[in-house]
Amino acid sequence: IENVQALKEEFTTGYTVPIYAEFGDRFAIFAGGTKARLLAYRPYGMHAYYSSFATFAPRVAMRFWKAVIDGDGKAAADVVLRYDAPFFQRWSHAFWLATLECFGLAARHLRHPRVAITEAGMKDVAAFYRRLGLLNDKGEPV
């Protein structure tokens, strides 16, 4: 595979660990999705990950990365449990677009036949991010 230089990992350990065994010394393999994936694959050589939070709440991504660089597994796991776990439990394309709208980055609208989150649903999305401490009572990013 001469032209492959990197691989975005988004599979089970049963799939990814053998990829590390065969290609880990040749490919830059990075985590897609959750921060927990980076923690799971660090022993195999993973050094990078995608962060959904970098898009709308970069301080969360930076807090996690600082914990990783500092070797503070407990602090890194705390970020995963506090932010990633509830975020990805709610995950859907509609929720992602509602998130972007909530943070003033994009509109939540989807093309038919998909259904976007309603105005009432947007209040729930904003309340979710207030509970995470990422929006203030006025709905502004903190």
Side-chain angles (χ1 to χ4, degrees), residues 52-124:
S52 298
F53 283 85
T55 307
F56 65 93
R59 70 181 172 96
V60 172
M62 295 305 295
R63 184 170 149 197
F64 174 77
W65 188 246
K66 181 177 182 337
V68 169
I69 295 301
D70 290 348
D72 189 345
K74 171 77 168 94
D78 287 347
V79 172
V80 169
L81 295 174
R82 168 104 171 100
Y83 299 101
D84 270 30
F87 175 80
F88 283 102
Q89 284 176 337
R90 294 178 69 114
W91 178 262
S92 70
H93 191 215
F95 177 73
W96 173 242
L97 293 177
T99 295
L100 295 179
E101 183 171 310
C102 202
F103 285 85
L105 300 170
R108 70 181 183 272
H109 306 290
L110 289 164
R111 290 171 34 184
H112 183 74
R114 292 186 173 160
V115 178
I117 290 181
T118 64
E119 285 298 320
M122 286 301 293
K123 290 178 183 173
D124 180 56

Side-chain angles (χ1 to χ4, degrees), residues 11-31:
F11 302 100
T12 65
T13 54
Y15 180 87
T16 302
V17 171
I19 295 290
Y20 263 105
E22 188 168 349
F23 300 109
D25 59 338
R26 291 185 45 218
F27 294 172
I29 303 173
F30 57 97

